[in-house]
Amino acid sequence: MLKLKKLSLKTISVLLPFAVSTFGYAQNDIELKNENYIEANQPVNMEHYGVPKYLPKLAISSMLQGDHVVEHARKKETLDGETQESEVYLVQTTDNKGNIDLRIKYDPTKVDESTNLIDSIEKMTKSEYKLRQYAEMYDKQSVVVTELENGDLEIEFDYSKYTLPQDIAYFRFMRGKVLISEGQPVSLIITNNNPFKQDDYSIDTYKQITFFDNLPNGRVVVNKKLITAKGEKKKKALELEIEMTPVVYYDDQLGAVVQDESLLSVVSDPRMREEYVDLDRTFPLMADMVRKQGIDVPLPFGISASYRRQEMDFNFTDFTIGGVPLEGVVNPENTVAHVVAEAYTVRGDVNILPFWNVFGYVGQIDVEAMVDAQTQQFDLPVIGPIGPYDFSVPVKLQYDLLGVGTTLSMGYKQFFGSVTSTYSMTRLKGSTADWGDGIVTVQPMLGYQLADYRAQIFVGAEYQALKPRMTGDLAPALGLDSSFEYDVGVNLEKWAYLVGVNKQIGKHYNMTFLYNKGETRNSFTINLGYHF
């Protein structure tokens, strides 16, 4: 049981920055309809059986215990037979506007610097902070309720595959078991269904036990959290033990509640070192509102590099070269161009809203074309008809590329849809002329998420607003001092089908492959991105 004491005014003033606010628990009457075992075919809400809505998230985020809390964390890591131990304190406070101040306090002699414990705790607490705003995180379809012989309940469930943020996506492999006794949660045991990877760890077996306790006013709090895991780290045998113990809470009715006075005296020592964890980020805007709906929010910033190869085959309607019409010289109907364009781009993007991304890109396009042309037939006096004659004209050009774009997206569970639009401008390399007229592309897509593999597959279409005329100046490419303009009419199909796949690699990297197929063009695109 928790150790409760009335504190002096001086002690309370010391504890206020470390205090924990209320987090209530509503008891429910449980009706089992005289069944010893219940397996729901329909979605089951665990709140019906006395499990608070937030309880499944307590296995992930200690921050859900309230606005103010002090917690002691001890870590023991045995790697290839060598053991390292560390311990720190997490101090969380919240102001009247809901802004959280989170600090890591530690004794340098009790932290193993080789394990980068402070960095790993910062990553963990940032993930936990985001989880405070998420809705239910378990799959209601997976809930199984068992009544034990003594009248207690065991409620098992799987964590959701679709609403977990990338930072703790490994929880999609977890199954939880809540023990309810006399209408109160006693413990929550989390184990893994499959091996998983997280950062440098490859975990084979994972077990986490969270014990609960009650304050005199009926409030449920975490008494202790124990984690054990076995696997590998950098291909070395790993055994991991983590113990999380709340030190002090703050309750609206009871005030400061001390669970471990000896630990409180240690964390209050002014000689303890302190690291501040920056939790709040500006982008995406409205992120908290979206998380409350149980939807993952993307990392706000990204940079990527891509390669696209596009092949086009088309014929012409008319020619004007150097200001001279060639209608009576070249037969446009029997003139075909085979064009290969390779584009190399670097792109930067930001998620303004969880469902709205904007980006800009720069790059280069290399164009190689072979124009298979045919002359018109000429009827000359005396000689008679001449031709037609076939001939080929090779063309090789390089363009600078500049563009902007935006993506709107939405999803439900494993399904999603998006629309991406871009506006690109090109200019012949080495030219001092203005950038040419822009080209608009639009990519509407529908997709399906393979949650277990953190991958998405999608189908759709691509629209390229290619104009029926191509104009420009060939002088730079031909090495001429004066302009040599061209103006040709072309037959191009603007729409093409699109299929693709995206694979997330860890929580920061992703690789995308797209393939387009249309009447007059086909292309493929490879993109490697990093988000942070």
Side-chain angles (χ1 to χ4, degrees):
M1 293 296 293
L2 293 175
K3 187 175 182 181
L4 306 178
K5 293 191 176 183
K6 290 187 177 180
L7 306 177
S8 67
L9 183 61
K10 180 179 178 181
T11 307
I12 291 177
S13 67
V14 173
L15 290 177
L16 281 178
F18 313 143
V20 180
S21 110
T22 63
F23 111 83
Y25 168 68
Q27 299 185 19
N28 297 317
D29 294 330
I30 300 172
E31 182 181 358
L32 292 179
K33 302 179 181 178
N34 299 320
E35 293 180 4
N36 293 325
Y37 178 81
I38 298 176
E39 181 172 359
N41 294 321
Q42 300 297 323
V44 176
N45 193 327
M46 291 195 292
E47 292 179 71
H48 173 73
Y49 298 100
V51 178
K53 184 176 182 178
Y54 51 75
L55 190 139
K57 292 192 284 187
L58 288 178
I60 305 174
S61 177
S62 300
M63 290 184 178
L64 291 166
Q65 296 190 80
D67 294 333
H68 314 282
V69 64
V70 179
E71 193 170 30
H72 175 255
R74 181 186 62 82
K75 177 181 179 182
K76 179 180 178 182
E77 183 178 296
T78 302
L79 189 63
D80 210 19
E82 296 185 7
T83 300
Q84 301 286 349
E85 295 191 51
S86 301
E87 61 177 288
V88 299
Y89 294 83
L90 306 178
V91 181
Q92 172 193 332
T93 61
T94 308
D95 63 20
N96 293 331
K97 295 182 179 180
N99 299 315
I100 291 180
D101 181 283
L102 183 64
R103 301 177 186 275
I104 302 171
K105 301 189 74 172
Y106 64 99
D107 180 347
T109 63
K110 295 184 179 181
V111 173
D112 176 35
E113 296 182 358
S114 65
T115 61
N116 296 319
L117 183 65
I118 301 300
D119 291 341
S120 63
I121 289 177
E122 284 191 3
K123 293 179 182 178
M124 176 189 71
T125 50
K126 287 180 180 180
S127 299
E128 291 190 356
Y129 169 71
K130 290 190 293 187
L131 291 170
R132 297 173 74 251
Q133 302 297 337
Y134 275 78
E136 295 173 350
M137 305 194 66
Y138 68 93
D139 182 1
K140 292 183 179 180
Q141 298 281 359
S142 69
V143 175
V144 176
V145 182
T146 306
E147 184 179 9
L148 305 180
E149 293 182 358
N150 62 359
D152 292 347
L153 296 179
E154 282 187 350
I155 304 177
E156 296 183 70
F157 62 93
D158 291 330
Y159 279 89
S160 173
K161 296 180 179 181
Y162 310 115
T163 62
L164 292 171
Q166 299 175 26
D167 308 60
I168 50 98
Y170 61 92
F171 256 79
R172 69 186 184 274
F173 297 110
M174 301 298 181
R175 185 163 181 82
K177 180 189 292 184
V178 182
L179 176 63
I180 302 290
S181 181
E182 298 180 357
Q184 299 283 350
V186 176
S187 63
L188 170 59
I189 301 176
I190 305 293
T191 54
N192 62 312
N193 298 320
N194 297 299
F196 62 90
K197 293 184 179 181
Q198 179 68 6
D199 295 329
D200 295 333
Y201 297 105
S202 296
I203 302 300
D204 296 320
T205 60
Y206 178 96
K207 185 175 184 180
Q208 175 179 311
I209 307 176
T210 303
F211 298 98
F212 304 106
D213 218 333
N214 291 357
L215 298 181
N217 62 358
R219 176 183 166 199
V220 176
V221 293
V222 173
N223 178 270
K224 192 178 291 291
K225 185 187 293 185
L226 302 173
I227 299 173
T228 57
K230 291 184 179 180
E232 292 185 343
K233 180 180 180 182
K234 298 180 179 179
K235 298 183 179 181
K236 296 181 179 179
L238 168 74
E239 292 187 12
L240 190 63
E241 296 179 15
I242 298 175
E243 179 180 304
M244 308 287 287
T245 304
V247 177
V248 63
Y249 304 97
Y250 181 81
D251 183 86
D252 286 346
Q253 298 175 355
L254 302 172
V257 179
V258 180
Q259 179 167 346
D260 194 312
E261 198 167 79
S262 62
L263 293 177
L264 176 61
S265 63
V266 175
V267 73
S268 302
D269 190 328
R271 293 172 296 180
M272 296 283 282
R273 292 191 182 179
E274 196 173 90
E275 295 283 345
Y276 175 72
V277 181
D278 186 14
L279 295 172
D280 294 296
R281 304 188 73 169
T282 302
F283 296 108
L285 304 174
M286 300 172 59
D288 288 347
M289 183 184 73
V290 173
R291 291 187 182 110
K292 288 179 181 178
Q293 307 304 315
I295 301 172
D296 190 11
V297 175
L299 295 172
F301 304 105
I303 185 170
S304 60
S306 68
Y307 168 78
R308 174 172 177 139
R309 178 186 172 93
Q310 178 167 300
E311 297 185 15
M312 294 190 296
D313 291 292
F314 55 87
N315 56 17
F316 298 84
T317 60
D318 60 85
F319 298 92
T320 300
I321 306 295
V324 179
L326 301 181
E327 295 177 2
V329 179
V330 178
N331 186 351
E333 294 181 358
N334 293 333
T335 299
V336 178
H338 177 70
V339 180
V340 177
E342 295 180 300
Y344 308 85
T345 58
V346 176
R347 168 179 135 169
D349 66 271
V350 58
N351 286 294
I352 304 297
L353 298 171
F355 51 85
W356 178 33
N357 178 275
V358 295
F359 54 88
Y361 52 92
V362 296
Q364 175 180 302
I365 301 177
D366 296 339
V367 177
E368 289 191 10
M370 181 62 71
V371 180
D372 295 323
Q374 188 181 78
T375 65
Q376 298 279 17
Q377 179 174 305
F378 299 96
D379 290 321
L380 296 179
V382 181
I383 299 178
I386 297 178
Y389 296 107
D390 296 328
F391 65 97
S392 297
V393 179
V395 179
K396 188 172 184 179
L397 303 170
Q398 282 189 330
Y399 293 87
D400 293 320
L401 174 66
L402 185 66
V404 294
T406 184
T407 298
L408 293 174
S409 58
M410 60 180 297
Y412 176 74
K413 290 190 175 180
Q414 68 267 45
F415 299 98
F416 65 90
S418 69
V419 177
T420 298
S421 300
T422 65
Y423 181 81
S424 304
M425 295 186 297
T426 59
R427 181 175 64 184
L428 273 172
K429 214 168 190 55
S431 173
T432 58
D434 295 335
W435 292 85
D437 294 337
I439 297 176
V440 174
T441 66
V442 181
Q443 292 178 330
M445 293 185 292
L446 294 174
Y448 183 88
Q449 179 177 203
L450 304 172
D452 287 339
Y453 302 97
R454 277 312 207 200
Q456 298 85 34
I457 55 176
F458 39 86
V459 297
E462 181 183 75
Y463 172 83
Q464 288 186 355
L466 298 171
K467 297 181 179 181
R469 305 202 66 80
M470 292 183 177
T471 59
D473 187 358
L474 292 173
L478 300 175
L480 303 176
D481 295 331
S482 58
S483 64
F484 191 71
E485 296 181 347
Y486 63 91
D487 182 353
V488 296
V490 294
N491 288 317
L492 290 171
E493 177 58 46
K494 296 181 179 181
W495 284 97
Y497 297 107
L498 178 153
V499 295
V501 61
N502 178 69
K503 177 68 175 75
Q504 293 173 229
I505 306 170
K507 61 186 178 183
H508 292 291
Y509 294 93
N510 73 286
M511 179 176 288
T512 305
F513 176 81
L514 297 174
Y515 177 74
N516 297 82
K517 178 66 176 178
E519 185 177 333
T520 58
R521 73 176 190 269
N522 65 82
S523 67
F524 70 87
T525 305
I526 299 175
N527 179 282
L528 178 62
Y530 175 82
H531 283 81
F532 55 96

